[in-house]
Amino acid sequence: MTTVLTHATFYTGEADPAVIKDGYVRFNQQIEAIGTMADYVPAAGDEVINLTGKVIVPGFIDVHTHGAYGFDTMDGNQDDLVKMVRSQITEGITTVFPTTMTQSTESISQAMRAINAAAAEEPAIVGVHLEGPFVSPHYKGAQPEQYIIAPSADLVAQWNELSGNRVRLITYAPEEADDLAGFEEYLLAHNIIGSIGHSNASREFLQNNSKANHITHLYNAQRPMKHRDPGVTGHAMLEDSIRTELIVDGFHVAPDMVKLAYKLKSAKRIDLITDSMRAKGLGDGVSELGGQTVYVKDKQARLEDGTLAGSVLEFDDAFRNIINFTGASIQEAVEMAAVNQAVEFGLTQKGTLRIGKDADMNVFDGNLSLLATYSMGRHFSKQDLVIKEA
């Protein structure tokens, strides 16, 4: 049955029209029509839903998420990955890159196999983010040091094949590579975006040696910006070509520093991410990340030594937070939550509301509380959330 949502305000993510007031959208798996109610022509068999006073935006794209609701990418279980992603859809994420972490090569291989199988069942899985094991021990964050190794194009090739050629993003420390030029050439040749993260590289080194144009969770687990040493963070701020991830939970990055990044990078160069881990959605308590005990309290996930261990951030909170922290418009928040990721990763069916694109949409009330999500036309809400039993 074709669904029609009527009398809503649409923020399309497109340049023209960017906003449709008192609009409608007709869709099955893809968007069949979108416009103002003045152009709406009823059709027999339509399921019409009146959404007066509601706001509709494109579905969110999370390119950095390890786990949620008791599930984790590194568990390497197909069925659990499907459940994890479908639960994440209820917070507005309609496109997911399940994200690995620094573990043994065999554990990462098993995760790739599981993602490949899960993606055949759940179309919201469209890529893989390899975070580690090619990181620096100096800025390992919550990445277990015993599994850190130097960047290897051969391993990436192996993991990419196991994933069904879905690896789209790799976090690595460029200064740790034995053959950085060769590694980055491999990534470019295979449509994989290299991201500087968990890195102790200087700006001078990055300027002279690295072609990476993406930064993993800006400010976090990287050589910081200082007045005599710009570091990774300063490099990200100064290079217009670089896109930066931001965890906008108010803990990983102070709100004023989020605002600084927004002012320097603009909405067009920021990708909102959750960097969420298994404990998201489970409340306070004890959890696990990469074999390490994680303590969750007051919406923060930390190792025993206090190190932040991913987040328990829900994407609809990130969407509201970026507006509240920076004064960004809803249109700009849509850019940071969906448009930028679709452009960067060539997701031509995602990111905006346009005829022929996948019917990925979020429905908010006037206070930007998430009411419902459509993922390729499938209806999801918070009531559909699946929590893994202990």
Side-chain angles (χ1 to χ4, degrees):
M1 178 182 292
T2 300
T3 302
V4 183
L5 308 180
T6 63
H7 293 292
T9 297
F10 292 82
Y11 292 87
T12 67
E14 296 279 336
D16 185 25
V19 183
I20 303 172
K21 295 182 178 180
D22 193 28
Y24 81 100
V25 62
R26 175 182 281 115
F27 61 92
N28 281 300
Q29 285 189 331
Q30 280 77 41
I31 294 172
E32 297 178 357
I34 185 169
T36 66
M37 288 302 298
D39 298 324
Y40 171 58
V41 178
D46 282 352
E47 178 191 19
V48 180
I49 302 172
N50 187 318
L51 293 178
T52 299
K54 306 303 187 292
V55 171
I56 298 178
V57 305
F60 303 143
I61 300 174
D62 196 350
V63 301
H64 190 157
T65 171
H66 298 276
Y69 310 107
F71 306 101
D72 190 283
T73 300
M74 293 305 299
D75 291 343
N77 182 290
Q78 173 189 348
D79 292 340
D80 283 357
L81 269 169
V82 171
K83 292 173 184 175
M84 179 185 87
V85 170
R86 289 179 179 169
S87 292
Q88 288 175 300
I89 294 173
T90 70
E91 62 191 69
I93 304 169
T94 56
T95 303
V96 180
F97 287 13
T99 304
T100 62
M101 69 177 299
T102 300
Q103 289 285 278
S104 70
T105 55
E106 179 47 44
S107 291
I108 296 172
S109 294
Q110 178 54 35
M112 295 299 101
R113 296 184 191 98
I115 292 169
N116 187 27
E121 185 177 349
E122 175 46 61
I125 301 173
V126 301
V128 175
H129 180 173
L130 284 170
E131 187 183 19
F134 312 135
V135 299
S136 166
H138 297 287
Y139 286 98
K140 64 181 184 295
Q143 306 283 332
E145 186 170 352
Q146 66 267 36
Y147 298 115
I148 293 174
I149 56 177
S152 165
D154 289 342
L155 275 175
V156 174
Q158 175 185 322
W159 289 330
N160 195 28
E161 181 178 359
L162 290 173
S163 74
N165 296 313
R166 290 184 173 87
V167 176
R168 303 301 309 280
L169 180 62
I170 294 182
T171 293
Y172 61 101
E175 75 279 11
E176 296 293 324
D178 297 323
D179 178 13
L180 180 59
F183 182 75
E184 292 186 339
E185 285 170 8
Y186 175 87
L187 301 187
L188 288 169
H190 291 83
N191 196 31
I192 299 171
I193 289 177
S195 183
I196 303 165
H198 294 275
S199 167
N200 192 34
S202 67
R203 170 160 163 75
E204 181 181 13
F205 176 88
L206 295 172
Q207 282 180 300
N208 294 328
N209 297 282
S210 179
K211 295 182 175 65
N213 57 8
H214 188 105
I215 300 289
T216 297
H217 42 51
L218 183 69
Y219 297 112
N220 294 110
Q222 59 195 235
R223 188 171 182 145
M225 180 171 57
K226 298 179 180 179
H227 61 300
R228 295 191 184 95
D229 178 8
V232 174
T233 303
H235 181 68
M237 297 292 197
L238 288 164
E239 296 297 325
D240 291 341
S241 63
I242 288 181
R243 297 176 183 265
T244 60
E245 300 176 358
L246 265 182
I247 309 170
V248 188
D249 59 1
F251 307 116
H252 279 78
V253 183
D256 277 350
M257 298 305 282
V258 172
K259 192 170 186 177
L260 177 66
Y262 165 76
K263 283 180 173 291
L264 293 177
K265 297 304 296 181
S266 85
K268 296 187 181 300
R269 290 292 182 270
I270 291 173
D271 292 351
L272 297 182
I273 60 166
T274 63
D275 193 16
S276 65
M277 48 83 69
R278 185 192 305 278
K280 175 163 69 170
L282 303 183
D284 289 355
V286 180
S287 188
E288 177 273 343
L289 180 67
Q292 305 162 106
T293 302
V294 176
Y295 300 90
V296 180
K297 186 178 181 181
D298 300 328
K299 296 187 177 182
Q300 301 174 57
R302 296 182 181 270
L303 301 180
E304 190 169 5
D305 66 2
T307 301
L308 283 164
S311 87
V312 291
L313 176 66
E314 296 181 23
F315 209 118
D316 56 319
D317 284 327
F319 185 74
R320 286 183 290 269
N321 287 345
I322 195 67
I323 294 171
N324 292 334
F325 291 176
T326 69
S329 66
I330 293 177
Q331 294 100 308
E332 288 178 315
V334 166
E335 284 188 283
M336 293 183 273
V339 177
N340 294 343
Q341 296 89 330
V343 170
E344 183 176 9
F345 294 95
L347 307 176
T348 57
Q349 286 296 106
K350 309 291 184 180
T352 66
L353 303 180
R354 187 202 304 167
I355 293 172
K357 288 202 171 188
D358 291 340
D360 292 350
M361 294 170 283
N362 286 319
V363 181
F364 288 91
D365 67 15
N367 297 315
L368 292 186
S369 293
L370 184 63
L371 301 177
T373 297
Y374 291 89
S375 174
M376 296 192 72
R378 302 168 299 166
H379 179 274
F380 291 82
S381 71
K382 296 284 187 180
Q383 286 70 43
D384 300 313
L385 193 63
V386 176
I387 302 291
K388 185 175 183 179
E389 296 183 4

